[in-house]
Amino acid sequence: MSEKWTPVEDDTQKKRVCYFFDSDIGGFHYGPGHPMKPTRIRMCHSLVMNYGLYKRMEIFRAKPATKREMTQFHSDEYIDFLSRITPSNMGSYVKEQYKYNVGDDCPVFDGMFEYCSISAGGSMEGAARLSRDKCDIAINWAGGLHHAKKIEASGFCYVNDIVLGILELLRYHPRVLYIDIDVHHGDGVEEAFYTTDRVMTCSFHKYGEYFPGTGELRDVGIGKGKYYALNFPLRDGITDETYKSVFEPVIRQVMETYDPSAVVLQCGTDSLSGDKLGCFNLSMRGHANCVKFVKSFNKPLLMVGGGGYTMRNVSRVWAFETGLATGVELMPSIPMNEYYEYFGPTYELDVKPSNMEDMNTLRYLERVKNILSDNLRRQGGPPSVQMQDVPRTSMDILMDDANAEDDFIPQDERRHQRLLDTRRQADGELSDSDDEGEGGRRDHRSHRERDSPDGSSSGRKFNKGVMGINLSSAPGSGSHGVGPSANTTMPQVIASGRLDSMDVDPQAQESVAASAAEDSGASTNRAPSEERPPS
């Protein structure tokens, strides 16, 4: 077991987790001063990797969604517009920008369509893997853009990856439940399924002079979808205890009444305390409790991102919830990572609540719960779905042979990084080569100490601290010591003259220098040790 996490209590069922991440996602930028920053996803991924969660799940880089796949929900004209417009030609699309609500909250930026493709592709492939029983939980933190409409952008969202993911789930599942814990109402998803009983939407959000201005208690759906849209309007300052007192009873009754065969959970973190655009007072654990509770129903679960505008808190919570999905709770001390300075001054994982006043009275919450309970009773049980053939799409072709490209990799070449990412370390696997230095298993003794009968070293001795030289702390090193960019080879240390200043036995220094020279192919004229002047 790693020292960076502990098993979650009362979580005995192991889940197969698929985690989707595309390294390109952090390179997009909405523009100066814009609150939406895709870098937060890369910050979260850095924490996930440095906590070692890659050992407990499969990591995938999803195929970006195509224009044709996006038009399963969005109009052809709108998607074509998104694929054509760029910052350099936006002057030619003034009318279209007004028509499709692009330009203010949803600015035109470099790579905008590629950004939408990555977000939608992760949610669609995650849904496809859930439908084909390739995993129990799929995670796409680049998704969760719940405001996008069929023919317009809204609230920093251009393409509604959630609707596309749900449509993929509906091809195999009779009923899908959508739960939204973002501080804003999930209006785009609710609008898309407002007239059907095959998708039930349940949103907990701030209501009243607040974007997007929808999500009233009386919005319950129409036609066949009447009473299949649930909205729980909340007031400022809601705390962990208050949120739990309404979330768990409502979701439990929804599960019993609607009996969904798959669940989509939008984990927007702008409901956290201290968010730049939010007005709730949830801590990290209060937010993560929703994930833990939904997971406990053992339904196929698609977890997506969403809002969240204080980057250090967004990455903290999503990393913690990734751990919960895999069955572990992350330790409070944040490990060294490339964004380590962002988490100061405490360098702790937790996001604590403030002393903000909770405007949600007990009387108000009870009244809303009773109304929602009555609406659920009017459903009359889970709706039935007529059996029919599932039409084939491009996603089926991808899922039929997800490893088709593996056949083209020569056997004598190093395995592709994608194959290495999809490996999952089995519990109890104690290989020091993969897990070196964790859990106190590493043997710090030299080979001479092990070979000696009395356990003492019979050869030359290295002074304290040299057996594991910390190159990142050597003079002149500006690296954090994390990732490939921080690796420093021994020949580089010798060439820089840093090794001479280290407290190393002269014979050991000579041996290391000779090995480094042989590795680099250089010829070394070395004087005999007895002729060597003392250091």
Side-chain angles (χ1 to χ4, degrees), residues 146 166 176-182 184-187 189-190 193 199-205 215 219-220 227-233 243 246-255 258 263-266 294 372 376 379:
H146 58 169
I166 291 176
V176 176
L177 170 64
Y178 170 69
I179 304 171
D180 194 316
I181 59 174
D182 195 289
H184 301 98
H185 177 234
D187 56 335
V189 184
E190 180 183 277
F193 301 108
V199 178
M200 185 169 187
T201 59
C202 186
S203 179
F204 299 80
H205 53 270
D219 294 338
V220 296
Y227 302 122
Y228 290 96
L230 256 66
N231 288 296
F232 203 119
Y243 203 95
V246 298
F247 182 84
E248 292 191 358
V250 170
I251 295 302
R252 184 179 291 108
Q253 187 177 357
V254 167
M255 289 289 186
Y258 188 64
V263 180
V264 178
L265 177 61
Q266 199 266 16
V294 173
L372 293 181
L376 286 170
Q379 290 181 0

Side-chain angles (χ1 to χ4, degrees), residues 79-124:
I79 294 299
D80 186 62
F81 162 76
L82 291 180
S83 67
R84 289 176 182 271
I85 192 169
T86 64
S88 58
N89 68 10
M90 57 188 295
S92 305
Y93 291 94
V94 176
K95 275 188 182 178
E96 289 83 354
Q97 289 184 67
Y98 180 78
K99 176 181 178 181
Y100 299 124
N101 195 32
V102 170
D104 294 326
D105 284 348
C106 302
V108 178
F109 58 90
D110 284 326
M112 181 179 69
F113 186 73
E114 289 74 14
Y115 168 75
C116 298
S117 299
I118 292 171
S119 170
S123 296
M124 292 182 71

Side-chain angles (χ1 to χ4, degrees), residues 353-367:
S354 67
N355 59 353
M356 185 179 186
E357 182 182 359
D358 187 356
M359 306 300 293
N360 298 272
T361 63
L362 182 62
R363 180 180 177 183
Y364 169 73
L365 295 176
E366 286 298 324
R367 183 174 69 87

